[in-house]
Amino acid sequence: MTPNSPAAIGFLTELRQDGGHVPAPTFAARASRATWHERTADRTLHAVLLHSGAPDEACARARGRTLVFAGELYNRDELHRLLPPGRALPGNDAALVIALFGVYDLHVFRLLNGRFAALVTESGRAVLATDHAGSVPLYVSVAPGRVLAATEAKALRNAPAGRPVPARPVRGLPGTHQVPAGTVLDIEVATGKCVPHRTWAPPLARRILPEEEAVDAVRRAVERAVRTRTAGGTPLVVLSGGIDSSTVAALAARRAARPVDTVSMGTDEADEFPQARVVARHVGSAHREITVPTTELLRRLPHTVWAAECLDPDIVEYLLPLTALYVRIGGPGRRVLTGYGADIPLGGMHRENRLPRLDTAVCHDMETFDGLNEMTPTLSAVGGHWSTHPYWDRDVLDVLVSLEAGLKHRHGQDKWVLRAAMSDVLPHEVVVRPKLGVHEGSGTSSSFSRLLADAGAPPDRVRQAKRLVVREIFDQVVVGGRHPDDVALDAVVELAASRLTGAARPVPR
């Protein structure tokens, strides 16, 4: 990892009232590790930090409280204004959050716009928090006198079984739960009693704005989200040539002192290289094209499940080409910006011109994104990089989700308001280009389907077979602790196909 990354990108922490030690963790994220310990009269805190060279900046102490913080904030300037006048500004995000916690207590997490997971401890108490989108996943195992928390579920696979808490159970890991997005868990350590508090929810009301005002609001929100993610260095932008990624690349290039770097990924089956070249030439980026053979792409299935810890085959299919790209980028760790996620608040994948159905789709997708780990930084961290997604900035979501559906589909175009916002920045052919998902543009969906069909999965049950494959891989690499390189993918695929034809055989383990 590089100094341009957060101080910490992940952690495993153990808070105990009777001493003890943190279990040896397994992480998919590739970064330096540091251990950190604190003992007070009534508690012991152990932490393993995944860091970028400055692990001390991921921890902060103030007035009997301790904070462990993985990730970064995007509204520091606003938060600084909340500090008492004349006070020296904290030098890092952890120090800023712990200072504001002393003023707002757990309500501080309602003020933060960022990409983070956090633990705050004080006498008899632990507070666990995720960002508004849960984009840095956070898992917890709670028992009387002990709280374990980690940014990857597999890091808790050897933890003693915890008690039920108001969060989502993790398959195969008894007592381990995923903290919901935009949620704080306030835990009484002695008893394990846990009270949840929501800190953000997708807006349900819709704003009726004139076209010009809506376009301006979207442009300003996305510009700011890109700006706060590019300060201090030259980012790498994943570029497909579609409106989402092209917007991020163009806005990053407009404020950069030197050409930004862009990269496109394709396979020997499909790519979007010609479309991405148009944008790269227009913004003057240093552009690179990476072709991943389909056989190599499919071999990354276990790595994708290992990183995302996701059981949804559709999501894994979306994330597979990104994982393959992050592994292939090589070189030193980079700050990577993507256009991923814009389709969810704008309904881009639904291609629905009937407005009630379009808004229903947006509501459904915003209600059900939680726990899918689509935005997890571990996907890029398997290659040693830190990724961030401007369209899932809290302020951007507040703008995009709240716009009435007619601004999202207008004049025969999906995502009209975003296209209009970038009409003076991008070539016309890019602005009007129809939507194509990364799994479609790279041939991922078709190659995964063909892999299962070749193994004998019935054509009408291929999606069910994909679910079985993802579940078996999850059980091996997350629950079982197997490294993805050691997963016999062909055997897993054959098992899934045979289960659907009634000829199931045990998979090698």
PDB file of all heavy atoms in Angstrom, residues 218 222 243-244 341-352 358 361-362 365-366 391 397 399-401 403-405 407-409 414-419:
ATOM      1  N   VAL A 218     -26.448  17.383  -9.674  1.00  0.00           N
ATOM      2  CA  VAL A 218     -25.713  16.143  -9.911  1.00  0.00           C
ATOM      3  C   VAL A 218     -24.263  16.450 -10.263  1.00  0.00           C
ATOM      4  O   VAL A 218     -23.334  15.820  -9.744  1.00  0.00           O
ATOM      5  CB  VAL A 218     -26.395  15.330 -11.032  1.00  0.00           C
ATOM      6  CG1 VAL A 218     -25.507  14.167 -11.481  1.00  0.00           C
ATOM      7  CG2 VAL A 218     -27.747  14.812 -10.559  1.00  0.00           C
ATOM      8  N   VAL A 222     -21.129  15.073  -7.878  1.00  0.00           N
ATOM      9  CA  VAL A 222     -20.146  14.107  -8.385  1.00  0.00           C
ATOM     10  C   VAL A 222     -18.769  14.759  -8.473  1.00  0.00           C
ATOM     11  O   VAL A 222     -17.749  14.130  -8.163  1.00  0.00           O
ATOM     12  CB  VAL A 222     -20.599  13.535  -9.738  1.00  0.00           C
ATOM     13  CG1 VAL A 222     -19.559  12.557 -10.271  1.00  0.00           C
ATOM     14  CG2 VAL A 222     -21.947  12.827  -9.600  1.00  0.00           C
ATOM     15  N   ILE A 243     -20.838   5.973 -19.639  1.00  0.00           N
ATOM     16  CA  ILE A 243     -21.028   7.286 -19.039  1.00  0.00           C
ATOM     17  C   ILE A 243     -20.541   7.327 -17.590  1.00  0.00           C
ATOM     18  O   ILE A 243     -19.984   8.342 -17.147  1.00  0.00           O
ATOM     19  CB  ILE A 243     -22.518   7.726 -19.129  1.00  0.00           C
ATOM     20  CG1 ILE A 243     -22.691   9.157 -18.608  1.00  0.00           C
ATOM     21  CG2 ILE A 243     -23.431   6.760 -18.400  1.00  0.00           C
ATOM     22  CD1 ILE A 243     -21.983  10.207 -19.431  1.00  0.00           C
ATOM     23  N   ASP A 244     -20.686   6.237 -16.850  1.00  0.00           N
ATOM     24  CA  ASP A 244     -20.333   6.261 -15.419  1.00  0.00           C
ATOM     25  C   ASP A 244     -18.832   6.425 -15.213  1.00  0.00           C
ATOM     26  O   ASP A 244     -18.367   7.358 -14.548  1.00  0.00           O
ATOM     27  CB  ASP A 244     -20.818   4.985 -14.733  1.00  0.00           C
ATOM     28  CG  ASP A 244     -22.297   4.744 -14.931  1.00  0.00           C
ATOM     29  OD1 ASP A 244     -23.026   5.706 -15.211  1.00  0.00           O
ATOM     30  OD2 ASP A 244     -22.725   3.576 -14.810  1.00  0.00           O
ATOM     31  N   GLY A 341     -21.414   1.348  -9.416  1.00  0.00           N
ATOM     32  CA  GLY A 341     -22.490   1.664  -8.495  1.00  0.00           C
ATOM     33  C   GLY A 341     -23.476   2.708  -8.951  1.00  0.00           C
ATOM     34  O   GLY A 341     -24.541   2.876  -8.338  1.00  0.00           O
ATOM     35  N   ALA A 342     -23.192   3.453 -10.037  1.00  0.00           N
ATOM     36  CA  ALA A 342     -24.112   4.512 -10.455  1.00  0.00           C
ATOM     37  C   ALA A 342     -25.471   3.971 -10.874  1.00  0.00           C
ATOM     38  O   ALA A 342     -26.497   4.648 -10.733  1.00  0.00           O
ATOM     39  CB  ALA A 342     -23.496   5.308 -11.603  1.00  0.00           C
ATOM     40  N   ASP A 343     -25.488   2.752 -11.387  1.00  0.00           N
ATOM     41  CA  ASP A 343     -26.755   2.187 -11.866  1.00  0.00           C
ATOM     42  C   ASP A 343     -27.762   1.956 -10.752  1.00  0.00           C
ATOM     43  O   ASP A 343     -28.969   1.919 -11.005  1.00  0.00           O
ATOM     44  CB  ASP A 343     -26.495   0.853 -12.577  1.00  0.00           C
ATOM     45  CG  ASP A 343     -25.820   1.052 -13.913  1.00  0.00           C
ATOM     46  OD1 ASP A 343     -26.325   1.862 -14.703  1.00  0.00           O
ATOM     47  OD2 ASP A 343     -24.788   0.422 -14.163  1.00  0.00           O
ATOM     48  N   ILE A 344     -27.300   1.778  -9.523  1.00  0.00           N
ATOM     49  CA  ILE A 344     -28.228   1.453  -8.444  1.00  0.00           C
ATOM     50  C   ILE A 344     -29.121   2.653  -8.103  1.00  0.00           C
ATOM     51  O   ILE A 344     -30.346   2.542  -8.152  1.00  0.00           O
ATOM     52  CB  ILE A 344     -27.463   0.925  -7.215  1.00  0.00           C
ATOM     53  CG1 ILE A 344     -26.695  -0.354  -7.599  1.00  0.00           C
ATOM     54  CG2 ILE A 344     -28.418   0.631  -6.055  1.00  0.00           C
ATOM     55  CD1 ILE A 344     -25.792  -0.885  -6.508  1.00  0.00           C
ATOM     56  N   PRO A 345     -28.576   3.825  -7.783  1.00  0.00           N
ATOM     57  CA  PRO A 345     -29.473   4.958  -7.476  1.00  0.00           C
ATOM     58  C   PRO A 345     -30.159   5.546  -8.707  1.00  0.00           C
ATOM     59  O   PRO A 345     -31.185   6.223  -8.566  1.00  0.00           O
ATOM     60  CB  PRO A 345     -28.531   5.985  -6.833  1.00  0.00           C
ATOM     61  CG  PRO A 345     -27.178   5.662  -7.389  1.00  0.00           C
ATOM     62  CD  PRO A 345     -27.160   4.174  -7.526  1.00  0.00           C
ATOM     63  N   LEU A 346     -29.618   5.277  -9.908  1.00  0.00           N
ATOM     64  CA  LEU A 346     -30.207   5.840 -11.114  1.00  0.00           C
ATOM     65  C   LEU A 346     -31.032   4.830 -11.905  1.00  0.00           C
ATOM     66  O   LEU A 346     -31.624   5.181 -12.924  1.00  0.00           O
ATOM     67  CB  LEU A 346     -29.106   6.409 -12.021  1.00  0.00           C
ATOM     68  CG  LEU A 346     -28.430   7.689 -11.503  1.00  0.00           C
ATOM     69  CD1 LEU A 346     -27.244   8.049 -12.371  1.00  0.00           C
ATOM     70  CD2 LEU A 346     -29.428   8.840 -11.467  1.00  0.00           C
ATOM     71  N   GLY A 347     -31.081   3.582 -11.445  1.00  0.00           N
ATOM     72  CA  GLY A 347     -31.879   2.570 -12.124  1.00  0.00           C
ATOM     73  C   GLY A 347     -31.363   2.225 -13.505  1.00  0.00           C
ATOM     74  O   GLY A 347     -32.138   1.817 -14.377  1.00  0.00           O
ATOM     75  N   GLY A 348     -30.059   2.348 -13.716  1.00  0.00           N
ATOM     76  CA  GLY A 348     -29.512   2.201 -15.054  1.00  0.00           C
ATOM     77  C   GLY A 348     -29.591   0.815 -15.643  1.00  0.00           C
ATOM     78  O   GLY A 348     -29.701   0.657 -16.862  1.00  0.00           O
ATOM     79  N   MET A 349     -29.542  -0.223 -14.810  1.00  0.00           N
ATOM     80  CA  MET A 349     -29.550  -1.575 -15.339  1.00  0.00           C
ATOM     81  C   MET A 349     -30.948  -2.055 -15.689  1.00  0.00           C
ATOM     82  O   MET A 349     -31.117  -3.094 -16.327  1.00  0.00           O
ATOM     83  CB  MET A 349     -28.913  -2.545 -14.337  1.00  0.00           C
ATOM     84  CG  MET A 349     -27.414  -2.398 -14.207  1.00  0.00           C
ATOM     85  SD  MET A 349     -26.525  -2.720 -15.746  1.00  0.00           S
ATOM     86  CE  MET A 349     -26.805  -4.494 -15.928  1.00  0.00           C
ATOM     87  N   HIS A 350     -31.967  -1.314 -15.295  1.00  0.00           N
ATOM     88  CA  HIS A 350     -33.337  -1.790 -15.506  1.00  0.00           C
ATOM     89  C   HIS A 350     -33.889  -1.401 -16.880  1.00  0.00           C
ATOM     90  O   HIS A 350     -34.781  -2.061 -17.395  1.00  0.00           O
ATOM     91  CB  HIS A 350     -34.255  -1.285 -14.391  1.00  0.00           C
ATOM     92  CG  HIS A 350     -33.890  -1.844 -13.069  1.00  0.00           C
ATOM     93  ND1 HIS A 350     -34.249  -3.105 -12.673  1.00  0.00           N
ATOM     94  CD2 HIS A 350     -33.137  -1.332 -12.065  1.00  0.00           C
ATOM     95  CE1 HIS A 350     -33.757  -3.342 -11.461  1.00  0.00           C
ATOM     96  NE2 HIS A 350     -33.085  -2.280 -11.078  1.00  0.00           N
ATOM     97  N   ARG A 351     -33.321  -0.340 -17.457  1.00  0.00           N
ATOM     98  CA  ARG A 351     -33.729   0.054 -18.810  1.00  0.00           C
ATOM     99  C   ARG A 351     -35.258   0.126 -18.918  1.00  0.00           C
ATOM    100  O   ARG A 351     -35.866  -0.372 -19.851  1.00  0.00           O
ATOM    101  CB  ARG A 351     -33.145  -0.905 -19.838  1.00  0.00           C
ATOM    102  CG  ARG A 351     -31.615  -0.917 -19.803  1.00  0.00           C
ATOM    103  CD  ARG A 351     -31.003  -2.186 -20.294  1.00  0.00           C
ATOM    104  NE  ARG A 351     -29.544  -2.166 -20.069  1.00  0.00           N
ATOM    105  CZ  ARG A 351     -28.775  -3.231 -20.202  1.00  0.00           C
ATOM    106  NH1 ARG A 351     -29.285  -4.384 -20.552  1.00  0.00           N
ATOM    107  NH2 ARG A 351     -27.483  -3.142 -19.996  1.00  0.00           N
ATOM    108  N   GLU A 352     -35.839   0.702 -17.910  1.00  0.00           N
ATOM    109  CA  GLU A 352     -37.295   0.727 -17.759  1.00  0.00           C
ATOM    110  C   GLU A 352     -37.789   2.147 -17.996  1.00  0.00           C
ATOM    111  O   GLU A 352     -37.384   3.074 -17.299  1.00  0.00           O
ATOM    112  CB  GLU A 352     -37.672   0.256 -16.352  1.00  0.00           C
ATOM    113  CG  GLU A 352     -39.140   0.352 -16.018  1.00  0.00           C
ATOM    114  CD  GLU A 352     -39.980  -0.510 -16.910  1.00  0.00           C
ATOM    115  OE1 GLU A 352     -39.934  -1.749 -16.742  1.00  0.00           O
ATOM    116  OE2 GLU A 352     -40.666   0.049 -17.780  1.00  0.00           O
ATOM    117  N   LEU A 358     -39.658   2.028 -12.699  1.00  0.00           N
ATOM    118  CA  LEU A 358     -38.276   2.452 -12.523  1.00  0.00           C
ATOM    119  C   LEU A 358     -38.021   2.857 -11.086  1.00  0.00           C
ATOM    120  O   LEU A 358     -37.020   2.438 -10.478  1.00  0.00           O
ATOM    121  CB  LEU A 358     -37.962   3.618 -13.463  1.00  0.00           C
ATOM    122  CG  LEU A 358     -36.550   4.201 -13.337  1.00  0.00           C
ATOM    123  CD1 LEU A 358     -35.496   3.157 -13.650  1.00  0.00           C
ATOM    124  CD2 LEU A 358     -36.392   5.412 -14.245  1.00  0.00           C
ATOM    125  N   ALA A 361     -37.907  -0.095  -8.843  1.00  0.00           N
ATOM    126  CA  ALA A 361     -36.628  -0.787  -8.958  1.00  0.00           C
ATOM    127  C   ALA A 361     -35.546  -0.084  -8.151  1.00  0.00           C
ATOM    128  O   ALA A 361     -34.736  -0.726  -7.470  1.00  0.00           O
ATOM    129  CB  ALA A 361     -36.222  -0.885 -10.424  1.00  0.00           C
ATOM    130  N   VAL A 362     -35.519   1.255  -8.208  1.00  0.00           N
ATOM    131  CA  VAL A 362     -34.537   2.008  -7.430  1.00  0.00           C
ATOM    132  C   VAL A 362     -34.746   1.770  -5.932  1.00  0.00           C
ATOM    133  O   VAL A 362     -33.787   1.523  -5.186  1.00  0.00           O
ATOM    134  CB  VAL A 362     -34.612   3.508  -7.760  1.00  0.00           C
ATOM    135  CG1 VAL A 362     -33.740   4.323  -6.789  1.00  0.00           C
ATOM    136  CG2 VAL A 362     -34.170   3.767  -9.201  1.00  0.00           C
ATOM    137  N   ASP A 365     -33.533  -1.773  -5.072  1.00  0.00           N
ATOM    138  CA  ASP A 365     -32.079  -1.930  -5.090  1.00  0.00           C
ATOM    139  C   ASP A 365     -31.411  -1.200  -3.931  1.00  0.00           C
ATOM    140  O   ASP A 365     -30.422  -1.688  -3.366  1.00  0.00           O
ATOM    141  CB  ASP A 365     -31.518  -1.420  -6.416  1.00  0.00           C
ATOM    142  CG  ASP A 365     -31.840  -2.346  -7.581  1.00  0.00           C
ATOM    143  OD1 ASP A 365     -32.329  -3.465  -7.330  1.00  0.00           O
ATOM    144  OD2 ASP A 365     -31.601  -1.950  -8.737  1.00  0.00           O
ATOM    145  N   MET A 366     -31.933  -0.038  -3.544  1.00  0.00           N
ATOM    146  CA  MET A 366     -31.352   0.692  -2.429  1.00  0.00           C
ATOM    147  C   MET A 366     -31.689   0.036  -1.097  1.00  0.00           C
ATOM    148  O   MET A 366     -30.951   0.193  -0.117  1.00  0.00           O
ATOM    149  CB  MET A 366     -31.837   2.140  -2.429  1.00  0.00           C
ATOM    150  CG  MET A 366     -31.300   2.988  -3.580  1.00  0.00           C
ATOM    151  SD  MET A 366     -29.488   3.047  -3.707  1.00  0.00           S
ATOM    152  CE  MET A 366     -29.028   3.677  -2.102  1.00  0.00           C
ATOM    153  N   TYR A 391     -19.685   7.420  -6.887  1.00  0.00           N
ATOM    154  CA  TYR A 391     -21.141   7.401  -6.946  1.00  0.00           C
ATOM    155  C   TYR A 391     -21.780   6.903  -5.653  1.00  0.00           C
ATOM    156  O   TYR A 391     -22.983   7.083  -5.458  1.00  0.00           O
ATOM    157  CB  TYR A 391     -21.627   6.543  -8.117  1.00  0.00           C
ATOM    158  CG  TYR A 391     -21.322   7.152  -9.454  1.00  0.00           C
ATOM    159  CD1 TYR A 391     -20.311   6.638 -10.252  1.00  0.00           C
ATOM    160  CD2 TYR A 391     -22.020   8.258  -9.914  1.00  0.00           C
ATOM    161  CE1 TYR A 391     -20.012   7.200 -11.481  1.00  0.00           C
ATOM    162  CE2 TYR A 391     -21.726   8.832 -11.141  1.00  0.00           C
ATOM    163  CZ  TYR A 391     -20.722   8.304 -11.920  1.00  0.00           C
ATOM    164  OH  TYR A 391     -20.422   8.862 -13.135  1.00  0.00           O
ATOM    165  N   LEU A 397     -25.249   9.989  -3.175  1.00  0.00           N
ATOM    166  CA  LEU A 397     -26.440   9.153  -3.058  1.00  0.00           C
ATOM    167  C   LEU A 397     -27.650   9.958  -2.625  1.00  0.00           C
ATOM    168  O   LEU A 397     -28.763   9.751  -3.124  1.00  0.00           O
ATOM    169  CB  LEU A 397     -26.190   8.019  -2.063  1.00  0.00           C
ATOM    170  CG  LEU A 397     -25.306   6.867  -2.540  1.00  0.00           C
ATOM    171  CD1 LEU A 397     -25.127   5.855  -1.416  1.00  0.00           C
ATOM    172  CD2 LEU A 397     -25.888   6.187  -3.769  1.00  0.00           C
ATOM    173  N   VAL A 399     -28.352  12.916  -3.349  1.00  0.00           N
ATOM    174  CA  VAL A 399     -28.857  13.645  -4.518  1.00  0.00           C
ATOM    175  C   VAL A 399     -29.482  12.690  -5.526  1.00  0.00           C
ATOM    176  O   VAL A 399     -30.632  12.871  -5.961  1.00  0.00           O
ATOM    177  CB  VAL A 399     -27.719  14.448  -5.186  1.00  0.00           C
ATOM    178  CG1 VAL A 399     -28.185  15.027  -6.516  1.00  0.00           C
ATOM    179  CG2 VAL A 399     -27.243  15.564  -4.268  1.00  0.00           C
ATOM    180  N   LEU A 400     -28.750  11.648  -5.916  1.00  0.00           N
ATOM    181  CA  LEU A 400     -29.210  10.780  -7.001  1.00  0.00           C
ATOM    182  C   LEU A 400     -30.474  10.012  -6.645  1.00  0.00           C
ATOM    183  O   LEU A 400     -31.422   9.944  -7.440  1.00  0.00           O
ATOM    184  CB  LEU A 400     -28.107   9.791  -7.387  1.00  0.00           C
ATOM    185  CG  LEU A 400     -26.828  10.366  -7.976  1.00  0.00           C
ATOM    186  CD1 LEU A 400     -25.887   9.234  -8.380  1.00  0.00           C
ATOM    187  CD2 LEU A 400     -27.111  11.266  -9.165  1.00  0.00           C
ATOM    188  N   VAL A 401     -30.503   9.415  -5.438  1.00  0.00           N
ATOM    189  CA  VAL A 401     -31.662   8.603  -5.062  1.00  0.00           C
ATOM    190  C   VAL A 401     -32.912   9.467  -4.982  1.00  0.00           C
ATOM    191  O   VAL A 401     -34.003   9.052  -5.389  1.00  0.00           O
ATOM    192  CB  VAL A 401     -31.417   7.885  -3.727  1.00  0.00           C
ATOM    193  CG1 VAL A 401     -32.660   7.102  -3.294  1.00  0.00           C
ATOM    194  CG2 VAL A 401     -30.228   6.930  -3.841  1.00  0.00           C
ATOM    195  N   LEU A 403     -33.908  12.089  -6.591  1.00  0.00           N
ATOM    196  CA  LEU A 403     -34.489  12.699  -7.788  1.00  0.00           C
ATOM    197  C   LEU A 403     -35.666  11.877  -8.287  1.00  0.00           C
ATOM    198  O   LEU A 403     -35.620  10.650  -8.325  1.00  0.00           O
ATOM    199  CB  LEU A 403     -33.430  12.799  -8.889  1.00  0.00           C
ATOM    200  CG  LEU A 403     -32.264  13.748  -8.625  1.00  0.00           C
ATOM    201  CD1 LEU A 403     -31.275  13.674  -9.767  1.00  0.00           C
ATOM    202  CD2 LEU A 403     -32.766  15.185  -8.426  1.00  0.00           C
ATOM    203  N   GLU A 404     -36.724  12.564  -8.704  1.00  0.00           N
ATOM    204  CA  GLU A 404     -37.892  11.847  -9.213  1.00  0.00           C
ATOM    205  C   GLU A 404     -37.519  11.086 -10.484  1.00  0.00           C
ATOM    206  O   GLU A 404     -36.595  11.460 -11.214  1.00  0.00           O
ATOM    207  CB  GLU A 404     -39.059  12.807  -9.439  1.00  0.00           C
ATOM    208  CG  GLU A 404     -38.828  13.913 -10.436  1.00  0.00           C
ATOM    209  CD  GLU A 404     -39.309  13.552 -11.831  1.00  0.00           C
ATOM    210  OE1 GLU A 404     -39.859  12.442 -11.997  1.00  0.00           O
ATOM    211  OE2 GLU A 404     -39.122  14.377 -12.743  1.00  0.00           O
ATOM    212  N   ALA A 405     -38.230   9.992 -10.726  1.00  0.00           N
ATOM    213  CA  ALA A 405     -37.838   9.039 -11.757  1.00  0.00           C
ATOM    214  C   ALA A 405     -37.768   9.651 -13.147  1.00  0.00           C
ATOM    215  O   ALA A 405     -36.972   9.210 -13.983  1.00  0.00           O
ATOM    216  CB  ALA A 405     -38.810   7.852 -11.758  1.00  0.00           C
ATOM    217  N   LEU A 407     -36.450  12.300 -14.060  1.00  0.00           N
ATOM    218  CA  LEU A 407     -35.126  12.869 -14.305  1.00  0.00           C
ATOM    219  C   LEU A 407     -34.092  11.784 -14.567  1.00  0.00           C
ATOM    220  O   LEU A 407     -33.003  12.074 -15.068  1.00  0.00           O
ATOM    221  CB  LEU A 407     -34.694  13.727 -13.113  1.00  0.00           C
ATOM    222  CG  LEU A 407     -35.475  15.025 -12.924  1.00  0.00           C
ATOM    223  CD1 LEU A 407     -35.244  15.593 -11.530  1.00  0.00           C
ATOM    224  CD2 LEU A 407     -35.087  16.046 -13.999  1.00  0.00           C
ATOM    225  N   LYS A 408     -34.433  10.565 -14.228  1.00  0.00           N
ATOM    226  CA  LYS A 408     -33.513   9.447 -14.445  1.00  0.00           C
ATOM    227  C   LYS A 408     -33.740   8.805 -15.811  1.00  0.00           C
ATOM    228  O   LYS A 408     -32.803   8.280 -16.422  1.00  0.00           O
ATOM    229  CB  LYS A 408     -33.669   8.432 -13.315  1.00  0.00           C
ATOM    230  CG  LYS A 408     -33.346   9.039 -11.957  1.00  0.00           C
ATOM    231  CD  LYS A 408     -33.612   8.116 -10.789  1.00  0.00           C
ATOM    232  CE  LYS A 408     -33.364   8.841  -9.475  1.00  0.00           C
ATOM    233  NZ  LYS A 408     -33.574   7.992  -8.285  1.00  0.00           N
ATOM    234  N   HIS A 409     -34.978   8.804 -16.255  1.00  0.00           N
ATOM    235  CA  HIS A 409     -35.269   8.344 -17.620  1.00  0.00           C
ATOM    236  C   HIS A 409     -36.065   9.448 -18.310  1.00  0.00           C
ATOM    237  O   HIS A 409     -37.216   9.713 -17.978  1.00  0.00           O
ATOM    238  CB  HIS A 409     -36.077   7.048 -17.615  1.00  0.00           C
ATOM    239  CG  HIS A 409     -36.208   6.463 -18.997  1.00  0.00           C
ATOM    240  ND1 HIS A 409     -35.388   5.452 -19.440  1.00  0.00           N
ATOM    241  CD2 HIS A 409     -37.032   6.764 -20.030  1.00  0.00           C
ATOM    242  CE1 HIS A 409     -35.709   5.147 -20.683  1.00  0.00           C
ATOM    243  NE2 HIS A 409     -36.700   5.936 -21.057  1.00  0.00           N
ATOM    244  N   ASP A 414     -31.729   6.366 -20.523  1.00  0.00           N
ATOM    245  CA  ASP A 414     -31.557   5.997 -19.124  1.00  0.00           C
ATOM    246  C   ASP A 414     -30.486   6.902 -18.514  1.00  0.00           C
ATOM    247  O   ASP A 414     -29.632   7.446 -19.216  1.00  0.00           O
ATOM    248  CB  ASP A 414     -31.146   4.519 -19.011  1.00  0.00           C
ATOM    249  CG  ASP A 414     -29.809   4.238 -19.672  1.00  0.00           C
ATOM    250  OD1 ASP A 414     -28.782   4.386 -19.002  1.00  0.00           O
ATOM    251  OD2 ASP A 414     -29.789   3.889 -20.878  1.00  0.00           O
ATOM    252  N   LYS A 415     -30.552   7.100 -17.234  1.00  0.00           N
ATOM    253  CA  LYS A 415     -29.597   7.939 -16.496  1.00  0.00           C
ATOM    254  C   LYS A 415     -29.463   9.325 -17.170  1.00  0.00           C
ATOM    255  O   LYS A 415     -28.362   9.876 -17.254  1.00  0.00           O
ATOM    256  CB  LYS A 415     -28.245   7.245 -16.365  1.00  0.00           C
ATOM    257  CG  LYS A 415     -28.305   5.985 -15.526  1.00  0.00           C
ATOM    258  CD  LYS A 415     -26.948   5.408 -15.234  1.00  0.00           C
ATOM    259  CE  LYS A 415     -26.343   4.792 -16.468  1.00  0.00           C
ATOM    260  NZ  LYS A 415     -25.127   4.010 -16.164  1.00  0.00           N
ATOM    261  N   TRP A 416     -30.580   9.864 -17.601  1.00  0.00           N
ATOM    262  CA  TRP A 416     -30.546  11.108 -18.360  1.00  0.00           C
ATOM    263  C   TRP A 416     -29.853  12.224 -17.593  1.00  0.00           C
ATOM    264  O   TRP A 416     -29.029  12.980 -18.159  1.00  0.00           O
ATOM    265  CB  TRP A 416     -31.963  11.562 -18.721  1.00  0.00           C
ATOM    266  CG  TRP A 416     -31.948  12.921 -19.361  1.00  0.00           C
ATOM    267  CD1 TRP A 416     -31.707  13.207 -20.670  1.00  0.00           C
ATOM    268  CD2 TRP A 416     -32.097  14.169 -18.693  1.00  0.00           C
ATOM    269  NE1 TRP A 416     -31.706  14.560 -20.870  1.00  0.00           N
ATOM    270  CE2 TRP A 416     -31.949  15.184 -19.671  1.00  0.00           C
ATOM    271  CE3 TRP A 416     -32.351  14.540 -17.366  1.00  0.00           C
ATOM    272  CZ2 TRP A 416     -32.045  16.535 -19.362  1.00  0.00           C
ATOM    273  CZ3 TRP A 416     -32.447  15.885 -17.059  1.00  0.00           C
ATOM    274  CH2 TRP A 416     -32.291  16.868 -18.049  1.00  0.00           C
ATOM    275  N   VAL A 417     -30.144  12.384 -16.318  1.00  0.00           N
ATOM    276  CA  VAL A 417     -29.627  13.534 -15.574  1.00  0.00           C
ATOM    277  C   VAL A 417     -28.106  13.496 -15.494  1.00  0.00           C
ATOM    278  O   VAL A 417     -27.447  14.549 -15.563  1.00  0.00           O
ATOM    279  CB  VAL A 417     -30.272  13.600 -14.172  1.00  0.00           C
ATOM    280  CG1 VAL A 417     -29.816  12.438 -13.275  1.00  0.00           C
ATOM    281  CG2 VAL A 417     -29.968  14.927 -13.488  1.00  0.00           C
ATOM    282  N   LEU A 418     -27.511  12.319 -15.379  1.00  0.00           N
ATOM    283  CA  LEU A 418     -26.053  12.215 -15.367  1.00  0.00           C
ATOM    284  C   LEU A 418     -25.485  12.514 -16.753  1.00  0.00           C
ATOM    285  O   LEU A 418     -24.471  13.211 -16.884  1.00  0.00           O
ATOM    286  CB  LEU A 418     -25.634  10.819 -14.908  1.00  0.00           C
ATOM    287  CG  LEU A 418     -24.126  10.550 -14.905  1.00  0.00           C
ATOM    288  CD1 LEU A 418     -23.403  11.480 -13.935  1.00  0.00           C
ATOM    289  CD2 LEU A 418     -23.840   9.088 -14.539  1.00  0.00           C
ATOM    290  N   ARG A 419     -26.130  12.005 -17.774  1.00  0.00           N
ATOM    291  CA  ARG A 419     -25.662  12.263 -19.137  1.00  0.00           C
ATOM    292  C   ARG A 419     -25.716  13.763 -19.453  1.00  0.00           C
ATOM    293  O   ARG A 419     -24.776  14.322 -20.033  1.00  0.00           O
ATOM    294  CB  ARG A 419     -26.512  11.473 -20.136  1.00  0.00           C
ATOM    295  CG  ARG A 419     -26.404   9.961 -19.972  1.00  0.00           C
ATOM    296  CD  ARG A 419     -27.306   9.230 -20.961  1.00  0.00           C
ATOM    297  NE  ARG A 419     -27.361   7.807 -20.678  1.00  0.00           N
ATOM    298  CZ  ARG A 419     -26.469   6.907 -21.099  1.00  0.00           C
ATOM    299  NH1 ARG A 419     -25.434   7.311 -21.824  1.00  0.00           N
ATOM    300  NH2 ARG A 419     -26.601   5.630 -20.800  1.00  0.00           N
TER     301      ARG A 419
END
